[in-house]
Structure formats: structure tokens, C-alpha cells
């Protein structure tokens, strides 16, 4: 079972946004030492709680700070970019870090209407995702109308961050997928359809599924729940205020949460995997059995960075 990390450069109330980026690079170093397959970063624009807006730039810094771990984007939002620009960025990354680069792409637009406006993105851009994905593949294969520079010396793998519609597109284009959220506990028919309808391509001979969710490991179930609370409360705050906030030092459900916010935080907790090594191992085994996953991508974060490192190392040891 391959195991990877997704770090969104979460900001914290006691640290600057610039420190959050440095924290991401440091986390990549310890992920490499712990034996993770790859380290993914995200693309979010104008989100107060997330400092990562340019995956290619951040991956270049991570590549310079590491030597073995694969570098992935989870992901580049293709509607925000011209396919040739994405191809050039990742071809350059592959030239700098030969054979270590993975390109994860998604079709989401900006977080809020004002962000979508400044990105000059609209629903029509998302609807062009299949065509943009095909163009991106052509550029990386060297079959596009122009040749990207530096010309890739090897095929750069593409992964699709997929919902139901995205799964169908990935199957048609012969690409691996990354799935998460409600799909992991709901109807798996779209995932089975992806496998059944998969058309082999130069990028992948067979379907491949990565499941992405928050995974936190601590000595006890209670301690792991306390670690998971910071992200759960931040999610509840975002639904209440419309802004995704920095992580703050909360380990219990705050008294001031409205019933609706409390319910939202509880849903976040329920959607994560957290607990002792035995609890996490059992839940991940069940998840892999249900989904047939080929890889687990942990997107967990918590306020306490020392506890986060201990969790990452315990998870790697658990699946080693």
C-alpha cells in the first residue's frame, strides 16, 4: 500500500503565512525520512487559512530540500490556467527533479465569487476540463501543436482529483484518480464505473485509485480526537463566516459554537480517520477493502506541529 501526504500549508494563529510555507518544506523533509511515497501540495487562492497558491513554485523549493520523495500537486486547478503553462511548469520541475514529479489536476474554481472574479474563471472554464486535460496530455507527450520547453525527457504522470463527472473523464483519458470526501462513505458505483470504463493510455495501463482523507495517529483514541478538533472547528467556522480561518489551539468542542456549527464540526471529525495505531489500522484496512484503493493520501493537519510530526511518523510505521 503506497502512502503519501498532502500538505495545504495551513496557517496557524501563532505563526505567519510565510512560516506556514516553511513548515510545509520542513514537513516534506520528515515525510521523506519516514518513507512516504510522495508529498503533495495544493492550490488555493486568497484563502486566509491556506498559504499555498502556487504548487509549482512550492514543489521546486521542496525538491531542492529533498532527494528521494516524489513531488505531487493535489492539485493544480486546470480551469485557472492554460494547459501549456501547466505543462511547461511541470516539465521544468521534472528537469530540476528528474523522475520525481507527479501532476495532479482538478476542475474546481475559486473558493468564493470574488476569488473566481479575480481569477477570471467561470463555469464555462470548468466545463472545458475534458478538453483542457486532453491538451495537457498532448503537451506532455510531445504531440501538441507546439513543443513545451524544456521538452520532457520522460512521461510525467497525471492524476485527476475526481468527483463523479471527473471519474468518467479520467476513465476516458486513461488516468489515475484521487477521490475523497463523501464518496468514501457513500455509493461506490462511480468508482466501479471508472474501473470498468477505463481506457488504457500512455500514462497508465490500468486504473489506479488514491483515497484522500485526514488521518491522525496518537497514543490513544482520545488524544487523536483532540488533535483532529482544530481542523474540524476551522471547517465549522468557515461554514459560519464564509472564510476558512487559520488553525487555532482547540482540543475540545468550543462552548460558543452554534448547534449547526457543532454539527458541522462533528461531520468533519466523522469524516476523518483518527485514533490509536490499532484504531487507525483497522479503519484504514476497512476503507481499502471497500474502495480497492491503491494508495492512501493523508491530508491531515493540526495546530500542534510536534504532534503532527509524531502522527505522520506513526502512520508511516503502521503501514510500512
Amino acid at each position: 500500500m503506497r502512502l503519501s501526504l498532502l500538505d495545504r500549508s495551513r496557517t496557524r494563529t501563532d505563526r505567519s503565512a510565510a512560516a506556514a510555507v516553511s513548515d510545509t518544506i520542513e514537513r516534506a523533509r520528515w515525510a521523506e525520512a519516514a518513507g512516504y511515497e510522495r508529498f503533495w501540495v495544493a492550490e488555493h487562492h486568497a484563502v486566509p487559512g491556506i498559504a499555498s497558491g502556487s504548487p509549482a513554485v512550492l514543489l521546486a523549493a521542496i525538491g531542492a530540500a529533498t532527494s528521494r520523495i516524489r513531488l505531487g500537486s493535489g492539485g493544480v486547478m486546470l480551469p485557472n490556467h492554460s494547459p501549456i503553462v501547466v505543462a511547461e511548469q511541470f516539465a521544468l520541475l521534472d528537469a530540476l527533479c528528474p523522475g520525481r514529479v507527479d501532476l495532479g489536476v482538478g476542475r474546481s474554481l475559486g473558493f468564493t465569487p470574488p476569488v473566481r472574479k479575480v481569477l477570471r474563471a467561470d463555469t464555462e472554464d470548468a466545463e472545458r476540463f475534458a478538453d483542457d486535460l486532453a491538451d495537457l496530455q498532448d503537451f506532455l507527450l510531445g504531440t501538441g501543436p507546439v513543443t513545451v520547453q524544456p521538452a520532457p525527457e520522460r512521461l510525467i504522470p497525471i492524476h485527476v482529483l475526481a468527483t463523479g463527472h471527473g471519474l468518467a473523464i479520467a476513465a476516458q483519458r486513461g488516468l489515475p484518480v484521487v477521490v475523497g470526501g463523501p464518496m468514501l462513505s457513500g455509493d461506490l458505483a462511480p468508482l466501479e464505473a471508472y474501473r470498468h470504463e477505463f481506457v488504457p493510455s500512455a500514462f497508465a495501463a490500468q486504473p489506479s485509485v488514491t483515497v484522500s482523507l485526514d488521518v491522525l495517529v496518537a497514543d490513544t483514541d482520545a488524544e487523536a480526537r483532540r488533535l483532529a478538533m482544530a481542523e474540524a472547528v476551522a471547517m465549522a467556522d468557515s461554514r459560519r463566516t464564509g472564510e476558512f480561518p487559520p488553525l487555532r489551539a482547540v482540543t475540545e468542542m468550543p462552548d460558543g459554537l452554534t448547534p449547526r456549527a457543532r454539527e458541522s464540526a462533528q461531520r468533519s471529525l466523522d469524516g476523518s480517520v483518527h485514533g490509536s495505531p490499532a484504531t487507525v489500522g483497522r479503519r484504514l484496512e476497512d476503507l481499502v477493502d471497500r474502495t480497492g484503493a491503491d494508495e492512501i493520501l493523508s491530508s491531515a493537519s493540526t495546530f500542534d506541529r510536534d504532534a503532527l510530526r509524531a502522527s505522520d511518523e506513526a502512520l508511516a510505521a503502521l503501514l510500512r
Side-chain angles (χ1 to χ4, degrees):
M1 175 60 59
R2 296 190 299 272
L3 179 64
S4 301
L5 286 181
L6 167 62
D7 188 290
R8 292 169 293 159
S9 300
R10 289 289 276 120
T11 60
R12 292 167 171 81
T13 54
D14 64 341
R15 295 173 67 78
S16 68
V21 177
S22 297
D23 291 344
T24 293
I25 298 171
E26 182 185 12
R27 191 180 184 191
R29 290 194 192 100
W30 82 53
E32 180 171 77
Y36 279 84
E37 173 78 10
R38 75 183 106 233
F39 191 87
W40 301 65
V41 300
E43 176 185 345
H44 293 276
H45 297 283
V47 179
I50 297 176
S52 174
S54 180
V57 175
L58 184 53
L59 289 174
I62 293 171
T66 57
S67 60
R68 178 201 58 80
I69 197 167
R70 295 189 67 87
L71 315 172
S73 58
V76 171
M77 296 299 112
L78 204 48
N80 297 336
H81 311 279
S82 167
I84 189 174
V85 172
V86 177
E88 286 176 334
Q89 289 175 343
F90 279 77
L92 183 54
L93 276 173
D94 188 67
L96 295 171
C97 307
R100 295 172 58 197
V101 175
D102 298 302
L103 171 53
V105 296
R107 63 190 294 268
S108 295
L109 301 176
F111 191 62
T112 63
V115 173
R116 291 193 288 273
K117 182 177 181 180
V118 297
L119 287 172
R120 300 178 182 176
D122 56 39
T123 54
E124 292 181 2
D125 297 314
E127 294 306 317
R128 289 198 299 266
F129 180 72
D131 292 337
D132 285 348
L133 186 58
D135 290 344
L136 178 62
Q137 289 179 277
D138 286 342
F139 286 126
L140 293 178
L141 286 169
T143 58
V146 298
T147 303
V148 300
Q149 296 295 339
E153 296 184 359
R154 62 197 61 79
L155 194 62
I156 299 171
I158 299 177
H159 302 251
V160 177
L161 281 64
T163 56
H165 183 55
L167 285 169
I169 294 172
Q172 294 164 10
R173 303 304 310 172
L175 295 172
V177 295
V178 181
V179 298
M183 179 174 291
L184 299 184
S185 58
D187 181 12
L188 295 178
L191 204 54
E192 293 309 310
Y194 159 75
R195 292 189 173 102
H196 179 71
E197 297 168 5
F198 186 87
V199 179
S201 72
F203 290 86
Q206 58 190 17
S208 177
V209 175
T210 296
V211 295
S212 177
L213 73 167
D214 291 358
V215 185
L216 285 167
V217 186
D219 290 338
T220 66
D221 290 356
E223 177 59 25
R225 177 183 167 85
R226 285 192 285 271
L227 294 180
M229 190 64 69
E231 190 67 69
V233 170
M235 184 62 70
D237 286 343
S238 73
R239 297 187 185 281
R240 179 175 56 84
T241 65
E243 292 188 359
F244 195 54
L247 292 170
R248 52 194 175 101
V250 293
T251 56
E252 302 294 340
M253 201 77 77
D255 292 335
L257 287 184
T258 66
R260 186 171 182 177
R262 185 176 294 270
E263 181 181 342
S264 176
Q266 187 59 53
R267 280 198 305 270
S268 295
L269 290 171
D270 293 342
S272 67
V273 170
H274 57 271
S276 68
T279 297
V280 170
R282 183 173 61 254
R283 290 192 60 188
L284 289 181
E285 185 176 359
D286 290 344
L287 179 65
V288 171
D289 286 345
R290 286 189 66 249
T291 62
D294 302 286
E295 182 171 346
I296 293 171
L297 175 65
S298 173
S299 53
S301 56
T302 189
F303 182 83
D304 185 335
R305 296 193 68 256
D306 290 335
L308 181 62
R309 177 170 185 170
S311 171
D312 288 346
E313 291 174 346
L315 177 58
L318 183 63
L319 297 188
R320 195 170 286 145

